[in-house]
Amino acid sequence: MSRASRQLFAKIFAITMTMLICFGMIFLGFKHWTSVESSGENSGETATEIASNNAMQSQIITNEQVEKELNHIADQKLELERKKIAEEKAIARAKQLVIEKAAQEKLAAENAAKKVILDAKIAQKKIEDDALALKEALKAKAEKEKLEKEKLEKEKLEKEKLEKEKAEKLEKDKQEKEKAAQLESKQAAAKKLATDAANKLAADKLAAAKISADKALAAANASKIARALEGYGNTVDTHVRKRWNYNDNTMQGLSATVFIRVSANGEILGQPKITKSSGNTIFDQEILAAVIRSNPLPMPTEPLARQLLAKEGIEAKF
């Protein structure tokens, strides 16, 4: 239920309750007026009876007193009449006010209802207008999106066409370059084969000459080294035995082989090693000690021999 409808029902309920209260007041006023009128009539009868009784009982009551009493009774009755008329006017006025109020409230309710209906019509019209505007906007948006989609599709097709043409051109250029490269490669390969053949022939001749020269040089160097190392074992043996401090006759006949790494100037590098033991640990240890005490060892004067010994080491038998 809307707010306007609730207000209308509330006004109708208020009008109904007001009318019920007015009708109750009218009823109570009418009842009071009836009782007062009845009381007035009884009072009039009583006054008449009293006056009659007094006239009968007493002959000394004067006409002036009777007239005064009758005027008093008439005043009371007139007062009751005035009250009755005032009450009737008040009730009539209350009825009129109730009717006018009801009419005003009815008119206000009708106006409120009309306003509600008018507002509803205006709201409905606005909704319809908004719906129409929205429909038109959606239609325009759809049309715009359609045009944009068609434009994008067209641009996409054109782009794909250009890319395809570009790719085809690149592929064609690539194939032509590959053909040119293959031809150039074949030409270069042929040229290289000719150059390689000539270089190989020259290299083979040079290599043969170098081999011959190397063999001759190697033979000459080998001869020099052999001459330089002739008797070198005895020289090392004599040099070491001079530093041999052990003279036990029980070790006569023992022999051991020692590997010694030296520099080109005869300096012993690292620790000498027994490569072939004598079988006697004391003898082997004495040989190693004597070798160490013999540092540096005597070296040949031939540089090639020195280089060979520095490279391969010395293996001496004691």
Side-chain angles (χ1 to χ4, degrees):
M1 184 181 292
S2 65
R3 181 178 179 184
S5 299
R6 289 197 298 270
Q7 292 178 351
L8 179 60
F9 289 146
K11 289 180 179 180
I12 293 172
F13 178 75
I15 291 170
T16 304
M17 292 302 295
T18 304
M19 290 178 68
L20 289 174
I21 293 170
C22 290
F23 287 146
M25 292 175 63
I26 292 169
F27 175 74
L28 292 174
F30 178 74
K31 186 175 180 181
H32 175 70
W33 176 77
T34 305
S35 62
V36 170
E37 186 177 9
S38 175
S39 175
E41 291 175 354
N42 291 333
S43 297
E45 292 177 357
T46 302
T48 306
E49 290 176 357
I50 291 171
S52 177
N53 289 332
N54 287 336
M56 291 174 62
Q57 291 177 2
S58 178
Q59 295 296 326
I60 59 176
I61 295 175
T62 62
N63 291 333
E64 184 180 352
Q65 291 177 337
V66 171
E67 185 178 355
K68 184 178 180 181
E69 188 65 26
L70 291 174
N71 289 335
H72 178 68
I73 292 171
D75 291 338
Q76 288 182 345
K77 187 174 182 180
L78 182 61
E79 182 65 25
L80 291 174
E81 289 291 339
R82 282 199 301 270
K83 287 183 179 180
K84 179 180 178 181
I85 291 169
E87 289 176 355
E88 288 176 350
K89 286 182 178 180
I91 292 170
R93 179 60 180 167
K95 286 181 179 180
Q96 184 64 30
L97 290 175
V98 170
I99 292 170
E100 290 176 356
K101 186 175 181 181
Q104 291 175 355
E105 292 179 349
K106 180 181 179 183
L107 180 60
E110 290 175 351
N111 291 334
K114 288 179 181 179
K115 188 175 184 304
V116 170
I117 294 171
L118 181 59
D119 291 343
K121 288 181 178 180
I122 293 172
Q124 181 65 28
K125 181 68 169 55
K126 187 175 184 305
I127 291 171
E128 292 174 354
D129 292 343
D130 291 344
L132 181 60
L134 179 60
K135 183 178 179 182
E136 293 295 331
L138 291 174
K139 182 179 179 181
K141 182 181 179 183
E143 186 67 23
K144 182 179 179 182
E145 290 177 351
K146 180 182 178 183
L147 293 174
E148 289 180 353
K149 185 177 180 182
E150 291 175 352
K151 181 181 177 183
L152 291 174
E153 188 67 24
K154 184 178 179 181
E155 290 176 352
K156 181 181 177 183
L157 292 175
E158 291 178 354
K159 184 178 179 181
E160 289 177 351
K161 182 181 178 181
L162 291 175
E163 289 179 351
K164 184 178 179 182
E165 292 175 352
K166 183 178 179 181
E168 290 175 351
K169 187 176 183 301
L170 290 174
E171 182 64 24
K172 184 178 179 181
D173 294 342
K174 181 181 177 183
Q175 291 177 358
E176 290 177 355
K177 287 181 180 179
E178 287 177 352
K179 288 180 181 179
Q182 289 175 0
L183 180 60
E184 185 179 352
S185 178
K186 287 179 181 180
Q187 293 174 349
K191 185 178 180 181
K192 186 175 183 300
L193 286 174
T195 303
D196 290 346
N199 291 337
K200 186 175 184 303
L201 181 60
D204 290 344
K205 290 181 179 181
L206 182 63
K210 187 175 184 301
I211 290 171
S212 299
D214 289 344
K215 284 181 179 180
L217 181 61
N221 289 339
S223 178
K224 287 182 181 180
I225 292 171
R227 287 195 302 270
L229 294 179
E230 186 177 352
Y232 180 69
N234 293 330
T235 302
V236 173
D237 183 82
T238 302
H239 183 76
V240 172
R241 285 184 183 278
K242 288 180 180 179
R243 291 155 181 83
W244 197 327
N245 297 328
Y246 199 80
N247 296 315
D248 192 345
N249 294 328
T250 60
M251 295 185 182
Q252 294 295 327
L254 295 179
S255 177
T257 303
V258 180
F259 177 77
I260 309 166
R261 186 169 294 282
V262 294
S263 65
N265 59 5
E267 185 179 356
I268 296 175
L269 303 175
Q271 185 71 24
K273 295 180 181 179
I274 298 293
T275 58
K276 185 176 181 181
S277 175
S278 64
N280 188 309
T281 304
I282 297 174
F283 182 80
D284 292 348
Q285 293 298 323
E286 178 56 26
I287 289 175
L288 292 176
V291 169
I292 292 172
R293 288 194 293 270
S294 300
N295 190 27
L297 295 176
M299 296 294 285
T301 57
E302 174 60 44
L304 293 175
R306 287 173 177 269
Q307 292 175 4
L308 180 64
L309 292 174
K311 180 180 179 182
E312 296 183 358
I314 301 173
E315 193 168 40
K317 183 178 180 180
F318 299 96

